[in-house]
Coordinates of all heavy atoms in Angstrom, one line a residue:
M1 N -19.2 -6.5 -1.3 CA -19.3 -5.1 -1.8 C -18.9 -4.2 -0.7 O -19.5 -4.2 0.4 CB -20.8 -4.8 -2.3 CG -21.0 -3.5 -2.8 SD -20.3 -3.2 -4.4 CE -20.5 -1.3 -4.4
V2 N -17.9 -3.4 -0.9 CA -17.4 -2.4 0.1 C -18.5 -1.3 0.1 O -18.8 -0.7 -1.0 CB -16.0 -1.9 -0.1 CG1 -15.7 -0.9 0.9 CG2 -15.1 -3.1 -0.3
K3 N -18.9 -0.9 1.3 CA -19.8 0.3 1.4 C -19.1 1.6 1.4 O -18.1 1.9 2.2 CB -20.6 0.1 2.7 CG -21.9 1.1 2.7 CD -22.9 0.6 3.8 CE -24.1 1.5 3.7 NZ -23.9 2.9 4.2
L4 N -19.3 2.5 0.5 CA -18.6 3.8 0.2 C -19.1 4.7 1.4 O -20.3 4.8 1.6 CB -18.8 4.2 -1.2 CG -18.1 3.4 -2.3 CD1 -18.4 4.0 -3.6 CD2 -16.7 3.2 -2.1
K5 N -18.2 5.5 1.8 CA -18.5 6.5 2.8 C -18.2 7.9 2.1 O -17.1 8.2 1.8 CB -17.7 6.3 4.0 CG -18.1 7.3 5.2 CD -17.2 7.0 6.3 CE -17.3 8.1 7.4 NZ -16.1 8.1 8.4
S6 N -19.2 8.7 2.0 CA -19.0 9.9 1.3 C -18.3 10.9 2.3 O -18.7 11.0 3.5 CB -20.4 10.6 0.8 OG -20.2 11.9 0.4
T7 N -17.4 11.7 1.8 CA -16.6 12.7 2.6 C -17.3 14.0 2.4 O -17.0 14.9 3.0 CB -15.2 12.7 2.2 OG1 -15.0 13.0 0.9 CG2 -14.5 11.4 2.4
G8 N -18.1 14.1 1.2 CA -18.7 15.3 0.9 C -17.7 16.3 0.4 O -18.1 17.5 0.1
I9 N -16.6 15.9 0.1 CA -15.6 16.6 -0.6 C -15.5 16.6 -2.1 O -15.5 15.4 -2.6 CB -14.1 16.3 0.0 CG1 -14.1 16.4 1.4 CG2 -13.0 17.1 -0.7 CD1 -13.0 15.7 2.1
V10 N -15.6 17.5 -2.9 CA -15.4 17.5 -4.2 C -14.2 18.3 -4.7 O -13.9 19.5 -4.2 CB -16.7 18.2 -4.9 CG1 -16.6 18.4 -6.5 CG2 -18.0 17.5 -4.5
R11 N -13.4 17.7 -5.5 CA -12.2 18.2 -5.9 C -12.1 18.3 -7.4 O -12.4 17.3 -8.1 CB -10.9 17.5 -5.4 CG -10.7 17.7 -3.9 CD -10.1 19.1 -3.6 NE -10.3 19.7 -2.4 CZ -9.5 19.9 -1.4 NH1 -8.3 19.5 -1.5 NH2 -10.0 20.5 -0.3
K12 N -11.5 19.2 -8.1 CA -11.3 19.3 -9.4 C -9.9 18.8 -9.8 O -9.0 19.0 -9.2 CB -11.4 20.9 -10.0 CG -12.7 21.4 -10.1 CD -12.9 22.5 -11.2 CE -14.2 22.8 -11.6 NZ -15.1 23.5 -10.6
V13 N -9.9 18.1 -11.0 CA -8.6 17.5 -11.5 C -8.0 18.7 -12.3 O -8.6 19.4 -13.0 CB -8.9 16.3 -12.5 CG1 -7.7 15.8 -13.2 CG2 -9.6 15.2 -11.8
D14 N -6.7 18.9 -12.0 CA -6.0 19.9 -12.8 C -5.6 19.5 -14.1 O -5.7 18.3 -14.6 CB -4.9 20.5 -11.9 CG -3.6 19.7 -11.9 OD1 -3.5 18.6 -12.5 OD2 -2.7 20.1 -11.1
E15 N -4.8 20.4 -14.7 CA -4.3 20.0 -16.2 C -3.4 18.9 -16.3 O -3.3 18.2 -17.4 CB -3.8 21.4 -16.9 CG -2.4 21.8 -16.3 CD -2.7 22.7 -15.1 OE1 -3.7 22.7 -14.5 OE2 -1.7 23.4 -14.8
L16 N -2.8 18.5 -15.2 CA -1.9 17.4 -15.3 C -2.6 16.1 -14.8 O -1.9 15.0 -14.6 CB -0.6 17.6 -14.6 CG 0.3 18.8 -15.1 CD1 1.5 19.0 -14.2 CD2 0.7 18.3 -16.6
G17 N -3.9 16.1 -14.4 CA -4.5 15.0 -13.9 C -4.4 14.9 -12.4 O -4.7 13.9 -11.9
R18 N -3.9 15.9 -11.7 CA -3.7 15.8 -10.3 C -5.0 16.2 -9.4 O -5.5 17.1 -9.9 CB -2.6 16.6 -9.8 CG -1.2 16.2 -10.5 CD 0.0 17.3 -10.2 NE -0.3 18.4 -10.7 CZ 0.6 19.4 -10.7 NH1 2.0 19.2 -10.4 NH2 0.4 20.5 -11.3
I19 N -5.1 15.6 -8.3 CA -6.1 16.1 -7.4 C -5.3 16.3 -6.0 O -4.4 15.5 -5.8 CB -7.3 15.2 -7.2 CG1 -6.9 13.8 -6.9 CG2 -8.3 15.3 -8.4 CD1 -8.0 13.0 -6.3
V20 N -5.8 17.2 -5.3 CA -5.3 17.2 -3.9 C -6.1 16.5 -2.9 O -7.3 16.7 -2.8 CB -5.1 18.8 -3.4 CG1 -4.7 18.9 -2.0 CG2 -4.2 19.5 -4.3
L21 N -5.4 15.6 -2.1 CA -6.2 15.0 -1.0 C -6.3 16.0 0.3 O -5.2 16.4 0.6 CB -5.3 13.7 -0.5 CG -5.2 12.6 -1.6 CD1 -4.2 11.5 -1.1 CD2 -6.5 12.2 -2.2
P22 N -7.4 16.2 0.7 CA -7.6 17.1 1.7 C -6.9 16.7 3.0 O -6.7 15.6 3.4 CB -9.1 17.1 2.0 CG -9.7 16.6 0.8 CD -8.7 15.7 0.2
I23 N -6.2 17.6 3.8 CA -5.4 17.4 4.9 C -6.2 16.6 6.0 O -5.6 15.7 6.6 CB -4.9 18.8 5.5 CG1 -3.9 18.5 6.6 CG2 -6.0 19.7 6.0 CD1 -2.5 17.9 6.1
E24 N -7.6 16.9 6.1 CA -8.2 16.2 7.2 C -8.3 14.6 6.8 O -8.1 13.7 7.7 CB -9.7 16.5 7.3 CG -10.0 18.1 7.2 CD -10.0 18.6 5.8 OE1 -11.0 18.3 5.0 OE2 -9.1 19.5 5.5
L25 N -8.5 14.3 5.5 CA -8.4 12.9 5.0 C -7.0 12.3 5.3 O -6.9 11.1 5.7 CB -8.7 13.0 3.5 CG -9.4 11.7 2.9 CD1 -10.7 11.7 3.5 CD2 -9.5 11.8 1.3
R26 N -5.9 13.1 4.9 CA -4.6 12.6 5.1 C -4.3 12.3 6.5 O -3.6 11.3 6.9 CB -3.6 13.5 4.5 CG -3.5 13.4 3.0 CD -2.5 14.4 2.4 NE -3.1 15.6 2.2 CZ -2.3 16.8 2.4 NH1 -1.1 16.7 2.5 NH2 -3.0 17.9 2.1
R27 N -4.8 13.2 7.5 CA -4.5 12.9 8.8 C -5.3 11.7 9.3 O -4.7 11.0 10.1 CB -5.1 14.2 9.6 CG -4.0 15.3 9.5 CD -4.3 16.3 10.8 NE -3.4 17.4 10.7 CZ -3.9 18.7 10.4 NH1 -5.2 18.9 10.5 NH2 -3.1 19.7 10.2
T28 N -6.5 11.6 8.9 CA -7.3 10.4 9.3 C -6.8 9.2 8.9 O -6.8 8.3 9.7 CB -8.8 10.6 8.8 OG1 -9.3 11.9 9.1 CG2 -9.7 9.6 9.4
L29 N -6.2 9.2 7.8 CA -5.7 7.8 7.2 C -4.2 7.7 7.4 O -3.6 6.8 6.9 CB -6.1 7.7 5.7 CG -7.5 7.8 5.5 CD1 -7.8 7.7 3.9 CD2 -8.2 6.5 6.1
D30 N -3.5 8.8 8.0 CA -2.2 8.6 8.3 C -1.3 8.6 7.1 O -0.5 7.6 6.9 CB -1.9 7.5 9.3 CG -0.4 7.5 9.9 OD1 0.1 8.6 9.9 OD2 0.1 6.4 10.1
I31 N -1.6 9.4 6.2 CA -0.9 9.5 4.9 C -0.1 10.7 5.0 O -0.5 11.8 5.1 CB -1.9 9.7 3.7 CG1 -2.7 8.4 3.6 CG2 -1.2 9.8 2.3 CD1 -3.9 8.6 2.5
A32 N 1.3 10.5 4.9 CA 2.2 11.5 5.0 C 2.8 11.9 3.6 O 2.7 11.3 2.6 CB 3.4 11.2 5.9
E33 N 3.6 13.0 3.6 CA 4.2 13.5 2.3 C 5.1 12.3 1.9 O 5.8 11.7 2.6 CB 4.9 14.7 2.6 CG 5.1 15.6 1.5 CD 6.0 16.9 1.9 OE1 5.7 17.5 2.9 OE2 7.0 17.2 1.1
K34 N 5.2 12.1 0.6 CA 6.0 11.0 0.0 C 5.4 9.6 0.2 O 6.2 8.6 -0.2 CB 7.3 11.1 0.4 CG 8.0 12.6 0.2 CD 8.7 12.7 -1.1 CE 9.7 14.0 -1.1 NZ 9.1 15.1 -1.9
D35 N 4.4 9.4 0.9 CA 3.9 8.1 1.0 C 3.4 7.6 -0.4 O 3.1 8.4 -1.2 CB 2.7 8.1 2.0 CG 3.2 7.9 3.4 OD1 4.3 7.8 3.6 OD2 2.3 8.0 4.3
S36 N 3.4 6.2 -0.5 CA 2.9 5.9 -1.9 C 1.5 5.4 -1.7 O 1.2 4.8 -0.7 CB 3.8 4.7 -2.4 OG 5.1 5.2 -2.6
L37 N 0.7 5.7 -2.6 CA -0.7 5.1 -2.7 C -0.9 4.2 -4.0 O -0.3 4.6 -5.0 CB -1.7 6.4 -2.9 CG -1.6 7.4 -1.7 CD1 -2.7 8.4 -2.1 CD2 -2.1 6.7 -0.5
E38 N -1.5 3.2 -3.8 CA -1.8 2.3 -4.8 C -3.2 2.6 -5.4 O -4.2 2.9 -4.6 CB -1.7 0.8 -4.4 CG -1.7 -0.2 -5.5 CD -1.2 -1.6 -5.1 OE1 -0.9 -1.9 -3.9 OE2 -1.1 -2.4 -6.0
I39 N -3.2 2.5 -6.7 CA -4.6 2.9 -7.3 C -5.4 1.7 -7.8 O -4.8 0.8 -8.5 CB -4.3 3.9 -8.5 CG1 -3.6 5.1 -8.1 CG2 -5.6 4.2 -9.2 CD1 -3.0 6.0 -9.2
Y40 N -6.4 1.5 -7.4 CA -7.4 0.4 -7.7 C -8.6 0.8 -8.5 O -9.0 2.1 -8.4 CB -8.0 -0.2 -6.4 CG -6.9 -1.0 -5.7 CD1 -6.1 -0.3 -4.8 CD2 -6.7 -2.4 -5.7 CE1 -5.2 -0.9 -3.9 CE2 -5.7 -3.0 -5.0 CZ -4.9 -2.3 -4.1 OH -4.1 -2.9 -3.3
M41 N -9.2 0.1 -9.3 CA -10.4 0.4 -10.0 C -11.5 -0.5 -9.4 O -11.3 -1.7 -9.3 CB -10.2 0.2 -11.4 CG -9.4 1.4 -12.0 SD -9.1 1.0 -13.8 CE -10.8 1.0 -14.6
D42 N -12.7 0.0 -9.3 CA -13.9 -0.7 -8.9 C -15.0 -0.2 -9.7 O -15.7 0.7 -9.3 CB -14.2 -0.5 -7.4 CG -15.3 -1.3 -6.9 OD1 -15.8 -2.3 -7.7 OD2 -15.8 -1.1 -5.8
G43 N -15.3 -0.8 -10.9 CA -16.1 -0.3 -11.9 C -15.8 1.1 -12.2 O -14.7 1.3 -12.7
P44 N -16.7 2.1 -12.0 CA -16.5 3.3 -12.4 C -15.7 4.1 -11.3 O -15.4 5.3 -11.5 CB -17.9 4.0 -12.7 CG -18.7 3.3 -11.7 CD -18.1 1.9 -11.6
S45 N -15.4 3.6 -10.3 CA -14.7 4.2 -9.2 C -13.3 4.1 -9.2 O -12.8 3.0 -9.5 CB -15.2 3.7 -7.8 OG -16.8 3.9 -7.9
I46 N -12.6 5.0 -8.5 CA -11.1 4.9 -8.3 C -10.9 4.7 -6.9 O -11.5 5.6 -6.1 CB -10.4 6.2 -8.9 CG1 -10.6 6.2 -10.4 CG2 -8.8 6.1 -8.5 CD1 -10.2 7.6 -10.9
V47 N -10.1 3.8 -6.4 CA -9.8 3.7 -5.0 C -8.4 3.8 -4.7 O -7.6 3.2 -5.4 CB -10.3 2.2 -4.5 CG1 -10.0 2.1 -3.1 CG2 -11.8 2.0 -4.7
L48 N -8.1 4.7 -3.7 CA -6.6 4.9 -3.4 C -6.4 4.2 -2.1 O -7.1 4.3 -1.1 CB -6.3 6.3 -3.3 CG -6.6 7.1 -4.5 CD1 -6.3 8.6 -4.2 CD2 -5.6 6.8 -5.6
R49 N -5.3 3.4 -2.0 CA -5.0 2.7 -0.8 C -3.6 3.0 -0.5 O -2.7 2.8 -1.4 CB -5.3 1.2 -1.0 CG -5.3 0.4 0.4 CD -6.0 -0.9 0.2 NE -7.4 -0.7 -0.1 CZ -8.2 -1.7 -0.5 NH1 -7.7 -2.9 -0.8 NH2 -9.6 -1.6 -0.7
K50 N -3.2 3.1 0.8 CA -1.7 3.2 1.1 C -1.0 2.0 0.6 O -1.4 0.9 0.9 CB -1.5 3.2 2.7 CG -1.7 4.7 3.2 CD -1.2 4.8 4.7 CE 0.2 5.0 4.9 NZ 0.5 5.4 6.4
Y51 N 0.1 2.3 -0.1 CA 0.7 1.1 -0.7 C 1.7 0.4 0.3 O 2.4 1.0 1.0 CB 1.8 1.6 -1.7 CG 2.6 0.6 -2.3 CD1 2.0 -0.6 -3.0 CD2 4.0 0.6 -2.2 CE1 2.8 -1.6 -3.5 CE2 4.7 -0.4 -2.8 CZ 4.1 -1.5 -3.3 OH 5.0 -2.5 -3.8
Q52 N 1.5 -0.8 0.5 CA 2.3 -1.6 1.5 C 2.8 -2.8 0.8 O 2.1 -3.6 0.3 CB 1.3 -2.1 2.7 CG 0.9 -1.0 3.5 CD 0.6 -1.4 4.9 OE1 -0.2 -2.3 5.1 NE2 1.3 -1.0 5.9
P53 N 4.2 -2.7 0.6 CA 4.8 -3.8 -0.1 C 4.5 -5.1 0.6 O 4.7 -5.2 1.9 CB 6.3 -3.5 -0.2 CG 6.5 -2.5 0.8 CD 5.1 -1.7 1.1
A54 N 4.0 -6.1 -0.1 CA 3.8 -7.5 0.5 C 4.9 -8.5 0.2 O 5.4 -8.5 -0.8 CB 2.3 -7.9 0.2
C55 N 5.0 -9.4 1.1 CA 5.9 -10.7 0.8 C 5.4 -11.5 -0.4 O 4.2 -11.6 -0.5 CB 5.8 -11.5 2.1 SG 6.8 -13.1 1.9
I56 N 6.4 -11.8 -1.1 CA 6.1 -12.6 -2.4 C 5.6 -13.9 -2.2 O 4.9 -14.6 -3.0 CB 7.2 -12.7 -3.4 CG1 8.4 -13.1 -2.8 CG2 7.6 -11.2 -4.0 CD1 9.5 -13.7 -3.8
F57 N 5.9 -14.5 -1.1 CA 5.5 -15.9 -0.6 C 4.1 -16.0 0.0 O 3.3 -16.7 -0.3 CB 6.6 -16.5 0.2 CG 7.9 -16.7 -0.5 CD1 9.0 -15.9 -0.1 CD2 8.0 -17.5 -1.5 CE1 10.2 -16.0 -0.8 CE2 9.2 -17.7 -2.2 CZ 10.3 -17.0 -1.8
C58 N 4.0 -15.1 1.0 CA 2.7 -15.2 2.0 C 1.9 -13.9 1.9 O 0.8 -14.0 2.6 CB 3.1 -15.6 3.3 SG 4.0 -14.2 4.1
D59 N 2.2 -12.9 1.1 CA 1.4 -11.7 1.1 C 1.3 -10.9 2.4 O 0.5 -10.0 2.5 CB 0.0 -12.0 0.7 CG -0.3 -11.7 -0.9 OD1 0.7 -11.0 -1.5 OD2 -1.2 -12.3 -1.4
D60 N 2.1 -11.3 3.4 CA 2.1 -10.7 4.7 C 2.9 -9.3 4.4 O 3.9 -9.1 3.7 CB 2.9 -11.4 5.7 CG 2.7 -10.8 7.0 OD1 2.2 -9.7 7.2 OD2 2.8 -11.6 8.0
A61 N 2.4 -8.2 4.9 CA 3.1 -6.9 4.7 C 3.8 -6.4 5.9 O 4.2 -5.2 6.0 CB 1.9 -5.8 4.3
K62 N 4.0 -7.2 6.9 CA 4.6 -6.8 8.2 C 6.2 -7.0 8.0 O 6.6 -8.0 7.8 CB 4.0 -7.6 9.3 CG 4.3 -7.0 10.7 CD 3.5 -7.6 11.8 CE 3.9 -7.1 13.1 NZ 5.1 -7.7 13.7
D63 N 6.9 -5.8 8.4 CA 8.3 -5.8 8.4 C 9.0 -6.4 7.1 O 10.0 -7.0 7.3 CB 8.8 -6.8 9.7 CG 8.3 -6.1 11.0 OD1 8.2 -4.8 11.0 OD2 7.9 -6.9 11.8
V64 N 8.4 -6.3 6.1 CA 8.8 -6.8 4.9 C 10.2 -6.0 4.4 O 10.4 -4.9 4.4 CB 7.8 -6.6 3.7 CG1 8.4 -6.8 2.4 CG2 6.6 -7.5 4.0
I65 N 11.2 -6.7 4.0 CA 12.3 -6.3 3.5 C 12.5 -6.6 2.1 O 12.0 -7.6 1.5 CB 13.6 -6.7 4.3 CG1 13.9 -8.3 4.1 CG2 13.5 -6.3 5.8 CD1 15.3 -8.6 4.3
M66 N 13.3 -5.8 1.2 CA 13.6 -6.1 -0.2 C 14.9 -6.8 -0.3 O 15.9 -6.6 0.3 CB 13.6 -4.9 -0.9 CG 13.4 -5.1 -2.5 SD 13.3 -3.6 -3.4 CE 11.7 -3.3 -3.6
F67 N 14.8 -7.8 -1.1 CA 16.0 -8.7 -1.4 C 16.1 -9.1 -2.8 O 15.1 -9.7 -3.3 CB 15.9 -10.1 -0.6 CG 17.3 -10.8 -0.7 CD1 18.4 -10.5 -0.2 CD2 17.1 -12.1 -1.5 CE1 19.5 -11.3 -0.3 CE2 18.2 -12.9 -1.6 CZ 19.4 -12.5 -1.0
H68 N 17.1 -8.7 -3.5 CA 17.2 -8.8 -5.0 C 15.9 -8.4 -5.7 O 15.4 -9.1 -6.6 CB 17.5 -10.3 -5.3 CG 18.9 -10.7 -4.9 ND1 20.0 -10.6 -5.8 CD2 19.5 -11.2 -3.8 CE1 21.0 -11.0 -5.2 NE2 20.7 -11.4 -4.0
G69 N 15.4 -7.2 -5.2 CA 14.3 -6.7 -5.9 C 12.9 -7.2 -5.6 O 11.9 -6.8 -6.2
K70 N 13.0 -8.2 -4.7 CA 11.7 -8.9 -4.3 C 11.4 -8.7 -2.9 O 12.4 -8.5 -2.0 CB 11.7 -10.3 -4.5 CG 11.9 -10.8 -6.0 CD 10.8 -10.7 -6.9 CE 11.2 -11.2 -8.3 NZ 10.4 -10.5 -9.3
N71 N 10.2 -8.5 -2.4 CA 9.7 -8.3 -1.1 C 9.6 -9.6 -0.3 O 9.0 -10.6 -0.8 CB 8.5 -7.5 -0.9 CG 8.7 -6.1 -1.5 OD1 9.6 -5.5 -1.2 ND2 7.8 -5.7 -2.4
I72 N 10.2 -9.7 0.9 CA 10.1 -11.0 1.7 C 10.0 -10.6 3.2 O 10.6 -9.7 3.7 CB 11.2 -12.0 1.4 CG1 11.1 -13.2 2.1 CG2 12.7 -11.3 1.7 CD1 12.2 -14.4 1.6
C73 N 9.2 -11.4 3.8 CA 8.9 -11.1 5.2 C 9.9 -12.0 6.1 O 10.3 -13.0 5.6 CB 7.5 -11.3 5.6 SG 7.1 -13.0 5.8
P74 N 10.1 -11.5 7.4 CA 11.0 -12.3 8.3 C 10.7 -13.8 8.5 O 11.4 -14.6 8.6 CB 10.9 -11.6 9.6 CG 10.4 -10.2 9.2 CD 9.6 -10.4 8.1
K75 N 9.3 -14.0 8.6 CA 8.7 -15.4 8.8 C 9.2 -16.3 7.6 O 9.6 -17.5 7.8 CB 7.3 -15.4 8.8 CG 6.7 -15.4 10.3 CD 5.2 -15.6 10.2 CE 4.5 -14.4 9.7 NZ 3.1 -14.5 9.6
C76 N 9.1 -15.8 6.3 CA 9.5 -16.5 5.2 C 11.0 -16.7 5.0 O 11.4 -17.8 4.7 CB 8.9 -16.0 3.9 SG 7.1 -16.2 3.8
I77 N 11.7 -15.7 5.6 CA 13.2 -15.8 5.6 C 13.6 -16.9 6.5 O 14.4 -17.8 6.1 CB 13.9 -14.5 6.0 CG1 13.8 -13.4 4.9 CG2 15.4 -14.7 6.2 CD1 14.2 -12.0 5.4
K78 N 13.0 -16.9 7.6 CA 13.3 -18.0 8.7 C 12.9 -19.3 8.1 O 13.8 -20.3 8.2 CB 12.5 -17.6 9.9 CG 13.0 -18.4 11.1 CD 12.5 -17.7 12.5 CE 12.9 -18.5 13.7 NZ 11.9 -19.6 14.0
S79 N 11.7 -19.6 7.5 CA 11.4 -20.9 7.1 C 12.3 -21.3 5.8 O 12.5 -22.5 5.7 CB 9.9 -20.9 6.8 OG 9.6 -20.3 5.6
L80 N 12.7 -20.3 5.1 CA 13.7 -20.6 4.1 C 15.0 -21.1 4.5 O 15.5 -22.2 4.2 CB 13.9 -19.3 3.2 CG 14.4 -19.4 1.8 CD1 13.4 -20.1 1.0 CD2 14.6 -18.0 1.2
Q81 N 15.4 -20.4 5.6 CA 16.8 -20.9 6.3 C 16.6 -22.3 6.8 O 17.4 -23.1 6.7 CB 17.1 -19.9 7.4 CG 17.7 -18.6 6.9 CD 17.8 -17.5 8.0 OE1 17.2 -17.6 9.0 NE2 18.8 -16.7 7.8
E82 N 15.4 -22.6 7.5 CA 15.2 -23.9 8.0 C 15.2 -24.9 7.0 O 15.7 -26.0 7.2 CB 13.9 -23.7 8.9 CG 14.1 -23.1 10.4 CD 12.9 -22.8 11.0 OE1 11.7 -23.3 10.4 OE2 12.8 -22.1 12.0
S83 N 14.5 -24.7 5.8 CA 14.4 -25.7 4.8 C 15.8 -25.9 4.3 O 16.0 -27.1 3.8 CB 13.3 -25.3 3.9 OG 13.8 -24.3 3.0
L84 N 16.6 -25.0 4.2 CA 18.0 -25.1 3.7 C 18.9 -26.0 4.6 O 19.6 -26.7 4.1 CB 18.6 -23.8 3.3 CG 18.0 -23.1 2.2 CD1 18.7 -21.7 2.1 CD2 18.2 -23.8 0.9
T85 N 18.7 -25.7 5.9 CA 19.6 -26.4 6.8 C 19.1 -27.9 7.1 O 19.9 -28.7 7.5 CB 19.6 -25.7 8.2 OG1 18.4 -25.3 8.6 CG2 20.5 -24.3 8.0
Q86 N 17.8 -28.2 6.7 CA 17.4 -29.5 6.9 C 17.9 -30.5 5.8 O 17.8 -31.7 6.0 CB 15.8 -29.5 6.9 CG 15.2 -29.2 8.2 CD 13.8 -28.9 8.1 OE1 13.2 -29.0 7.1 NE2 13.2 -28.2 9.2
E87 N 18.3 -29.9 4.6 CA 18.9 -30.7 3.6 C 20.1 -31.6 4.0 O 21.0 -31.1 4.7 CB 19.2 -29.9 2.4 CG 18.1 -29.1 1.8 CD 17.1 -30.1 1.2 OE1 17.5 -31.0 0.5 OE2 15.9 -29.8 1.3
Ligands
ZN101 ZN1 6.2 -14.1 3.9

């Protein structure tokens, strides 16, 4: 169970369902304009997390590149190459 930390910030949802993330929060979490956030649900709570595309093979999110619409990491590319040359 993740312990929730209250920011003390209350925001109203507008007519289009939007809320503004306070600048202090964006600075703290290094969220820039046009960054993607992934929306999670935890019971009655909504959790926003910076979206990081993960490798389809190992779930690693480091230096992931997109290939034919799928995300793959350098490690898996390398092991793929190695397994192909071993044949
Ligand atoms: Zn991988």
Side-chain angles (χ1 to χ4, degrees):
M1 177 76 193
V2 183
K3 198 162 181 290
L4 294 177
K5 186 179 165 194
S6 174
T7 61
I9 301 162
V10 177
R11 288 278 151 118
K12 281 200 163 70
V13 179
D14 78 3
E15 66 274 19
L16 293 175
R18 297 176 295 196
I19 54 161
V20 173
L21 300 176
I23 187 71
E24 315 85 67
L25 208 66
R26 281 179 278 151
R27 282 204 189 114
T28 308
L29 299 177
D30 192 28
I31 297 167
E33 208 181 308
K34 308 267 194 245
D35 276 358
S36 296
L37 297 177
E38 194 166 3
I39 303 168
Y40 294 82
M41 283 171 64
D42 183 11
S45 303
I46 298 166
V47 178
L48 299 174
R49 193 165 292 168
K50 267 186 95 165
Y51 175 64
Q52 293 206 300
C55 175
I56 54 164
F57 296 109
C58 69
D59 261 345
D60 197 341
K62 198 167 173 282
D63 301 323
V64 166
I65 64 156
M66 194 178 261
F67 183 70
H68 288 269
K70 306 281 185 207
N71 298 311
I72 184 167
C73 76
K75 263 186 291 178
C76 288
I77 293 171
K78 196 160 176 275
S79 67
L80 202 61
Q81 282 171 333
E82 282 166 4
S83 71
L84 287 173
T85 50
Q86 274 164 18
E87 294 294 316

